């Protein structure tokens, strides 16, 4: 299925120093406001001739396009120019344990085409990544684009990833993937940058880009079969020393029963507050919920014990998040993942404990809200990761230089 999404994504903030190349001038124009050469000269403090040369270079690259005319002050009205998000396309892939979802987006991260299929991550990297490349080719055909239009591929995986190399690191549910060179595999078909990260980090990027673009400090928490967090700090994703930042699932939950976790420890957050933990709690009182979707259906259907179990999971997660609030001082905590679909029960439990346990200063402006991007968070986030990489001033200048040399 291909469709045009109405998602609108804000762009990076404007630089304050005068831009010293076409790439930096583009950063200023990424807010998509059309401007004339004279307006750009005034805004940047650069000479009209300098602005003119940089605008011409960006026009030649396609990244800038004419966008109407300003009012005339006598004579021919001056042309306005704006960032052209259609100039290139990006692929964002979100690979889960049992599903894959890929979007072809424009340069704002807006999906132009999206395909989702059931797939097993346990089939191994060759099968799964061949699906990524063949689906990418299909989406390029469907949208009338070519591989030359593609500026990069972003991939989210359901396990720890060394972002700098794009290799999964001892992922527990991904046999055959440990240390696999994901970028090399994809680059055999598409000779573009391939960036890889874990699924929670890309969801954090997607939710941040779509729903909270101006928020500098945000914590995205995924609550599903596993529990994890993506940390946006100073407007950027914080990955930590080896990409393990935000791995909340195996933090010891305060006051929790000593339930054995899949990692071998007792009382991990994931062992007492994830979907499977709620399923076990409900089974003890004779209620069957075989999947996270069943739990959500029970809560939405007004099942009181299920709503109670989900709210209790929210409280337990809130105990850990209260510590995170003291450490990170976010202004927004977004709760996402399949169990967030259970409505207010989960978030009410989180709020109850976080607001009760944190110091007033840390919570004075803190919002705790549900994710809005749903299943699109991962694909938009994976594309956003590529766009942030490819459209830096330096890389735009390099692309323009190599284009004019060829
Ligand atoms: Zn654990």
């Amino acid at each position: 299925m291909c469709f045009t999404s109405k998602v609108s994504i804000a762009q990076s903030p404007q630089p304050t120093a005068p831009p010293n190349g076409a790439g930096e001038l583009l950063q200023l124009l990424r807010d998509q406001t059309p401007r004339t050469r004279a307006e750009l000269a005034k805004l940047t403090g650069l000479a009209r001739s300098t602005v003119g040369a940089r605008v011409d270079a960006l026009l030649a690259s396609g990244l800038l396009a004419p966008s109407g005319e300003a009012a005339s002050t006598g004579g021919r009205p001056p042309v306005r120019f704006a960032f052209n998000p259609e100039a290139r396309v990006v692929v964002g892939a979100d690979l889960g344990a049992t599903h894959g979802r890929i979007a072809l987006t424009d340069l704002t991260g807006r999906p132009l085409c999206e395909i989702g299929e059931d797939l097993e991550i346990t089939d191994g990297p060759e099968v799964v990544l061949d699906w990524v490349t063949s689906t990418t080719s299909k989406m390029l055909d469907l949208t009338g684009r070519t591989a030359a239009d593609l500026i990069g591929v972003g991939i989210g995986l359901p396990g720890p990833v060394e972002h700098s190399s794009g290799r999964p690191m001892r992922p527990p549910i991904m046999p055959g993937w440990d240390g696999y060179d994901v970028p090399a595999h994809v680059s055999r078909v598409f000779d573009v940058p391939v960036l890889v990260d874990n699924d929670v980090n890309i969801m954090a990027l997607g939710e941040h880009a779509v729903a909270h673009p101006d928020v500098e400090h945000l914590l995205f928490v995924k609550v599903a079969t596993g529990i994890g967090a993506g940390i946006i700090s100073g407007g950027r994703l914080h990955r930590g020393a080896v990409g393990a930042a935000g791995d909340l699932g195996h933090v010891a939950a305060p006051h929790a029963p000593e339930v054995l976790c899949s990692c071998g420890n007792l009382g991990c957050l994931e062992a007492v507050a994830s979907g499977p933990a709620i399923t076990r709690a409900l089974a003890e009182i004779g209620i069957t919920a075989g999947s996270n979707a069943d739990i959500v259906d029970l809560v939405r259907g007004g099942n009181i014990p299920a709503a109670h179990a989900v709210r209790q999971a929210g409280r337990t997660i809130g105990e850990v998040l209260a510590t995170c609030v003291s450490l990170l001082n976010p202004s927004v905590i977004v709760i996402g993942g399949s169990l967030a679909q259970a409505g207010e029960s989960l978030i009410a439990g989180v709020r109850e404990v976080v607001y009760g346990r944190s110091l007033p200063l840390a919570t004075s402006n803190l919002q705790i809200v549900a994710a809005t991007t749903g299943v699109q968070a991962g694909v938009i986030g994976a594309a956003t990761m590529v766009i942030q990489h490819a459209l830096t001033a330096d890389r735009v200048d390099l692309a323009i230089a190599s284009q004019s040399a060829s």
Side-chain angles (χ1 to χ4, degrees):
M1 176 186 67
C2 261
F3 63 90
T4 302
S5 164
K6 292 203 171 63
V7 168
S8 86
I9 297 168
Q11 298 307 306
S12 55
Q14 296 181 2
T16 46
N20 60 14
E24 278 202 24
L25 188 66
L26 183 72
Q27 307 307 309
L28 199 148
L29 284 152
R30 282 179 64 195
D31 65 3
Q32 297 193 57
T33 305
R35 296 182 178 93
T36 64
R37 288 185 179 89
E39 285 165 349
L40 285 168
K42 195 173 170 196
L43 202 61
T44 58
L46 292 168
R48 289 278 289 269
S49 56
T50 308
V51 166
R54 289 175 190 173
V55 164
D56 288 346
L58 290 168
L59 285 169
S61 74
L63 290 169
L64 203 63
S67 177
E69 292 172 342
S72 171
T73 51
R76 201 153 56 96
V79 178
R80 284 202 158 107
F81 303 96
F83 174 54
N84 174 21
E86 309 277 322
R88 303 281 191 285
V89 288
V90 184
V91 164
D94 176 18
L95 304 176
T98 57
H99 78 274
R101 194 173 185 90
I102 304 193
L104 190 74
T105 81
D106 68 11
L107 292 179
T108 66
R110 184 177 65 92
L112 306 169
C113 177
E114 207 168 333
I115 291 176
E117 276 179 29
D118 290 340
L119 66 83
E120 298 294 329
I121 202 83
T122 51
D123 284 344
E126 308 221 332
V127 172
V128 172
L129 295 174
D130 283 349
W131 178 78
V132 170
T133 53
S134 63
T135 307
T136 297
S137 298
K138 193 190 293 180
M139 291 193 303
L140 288 169
D141 287 346
L142 284 168
T143 52
R145 309 301 292 246
T146 68
D149 294 332
L150 188 64
I151 61 155
V153 176
I155 298 176
L157 293 173
V161 173
E162 186 185 62
H163 178 67
S164 57
S165 67
R167 294 170 188 262
M169 302 297 283
R170 293 180 287 283
I173 62 163
M174 299 168 62
W177 288 79
D178 186 17
Y180 191 82
D181 193 343
V182 174
H185 188 115
V186 176
S187 299
R188 274 185 239 147
V189 181
F190 297 107
D191 185 19
V192 292
V194 179
L195 306 183
V196 192
D197 209 334
N198 73 65
D199 54 352
V200 187
N201 278 351
I202 62 164
M203 288 169 83
L205 281 174
E207 186 68 22
H208 181 251
V210 172
H212 307 279
D214 300 324
V215 172
E216 292 269 301
H217 302 281
L218 174 147
L219 191 59
F220 178 91
V221 184
K222 177 189 174 188
V223 187
T225 303
I227 296 175
I231 303 162
I232 304 283
S233 179
R236 304 183 62 85
L237 189 63
H238 174 80
R239 295 188 170 92
V242 293
D247 198 353
L248 289 185
H250 304 282
V251 167
H255 320 300
E258 294 207 325
V259 178
L260 181 63
C261 179
S262 59
C263 73
N265 280 330
L266 294 171
C268 292
L269 182 61
E270 199 163 294
V272 296
S274 63
I278 295 169
T279 291
R280 271 198 311 277
L282 291 176
E284 281 171 16
I285 52 171
I287 297 173
T288 304
S291 66
N292 296 341
D294 290 347
I295 297 169
V296 169
D297 287 345
L298 281 170
V299 174
R300 286 188 169 172
N303 184 294
I304 291 170
H308 175 80
V310 168
R311 186 165 180 139
Q312 185 52 43
R315 290 188 190 106
T316 308
I317 293 164
E319 298 260 6
V320 171
L321 291 183
T323 304
C324 298
V325 166
S326 297
L327 201 62
L328 300 169
N329 187 203
S331 49
V332 177
I333 295 177
V334 182
I335 309 291
S338 53
L339 283 173
Q341 313 283 326
E344 278 297 301
S345 297
L346 184 72
I347 291 181
V350 172
R351 286 190 184 122
E352 193 182 311
V353 175
V354 170
Y355 289 129
R357 291 289 295 268
S358 305
L359 288 170
L361 180 62
T363 53
S364 57
N365 289 307
L366 174 64
Q367 291 179 60
I368 302 175
V369 297
T372 58
T373 41
V375 294
Q376 281 190 310
V379 293
I380 293 174
T384 300
M385 174 168 68
V386 172
I387 294 163
Q388 287 178 353
H389 170 88
L391 290 191
T392 60
D394 291 352
R395 291 196 181 89
V396 169
D397 285 339
L398 275 174
I400 287 174
S402 68
Q403 192 176 20
S404 50
S406 62

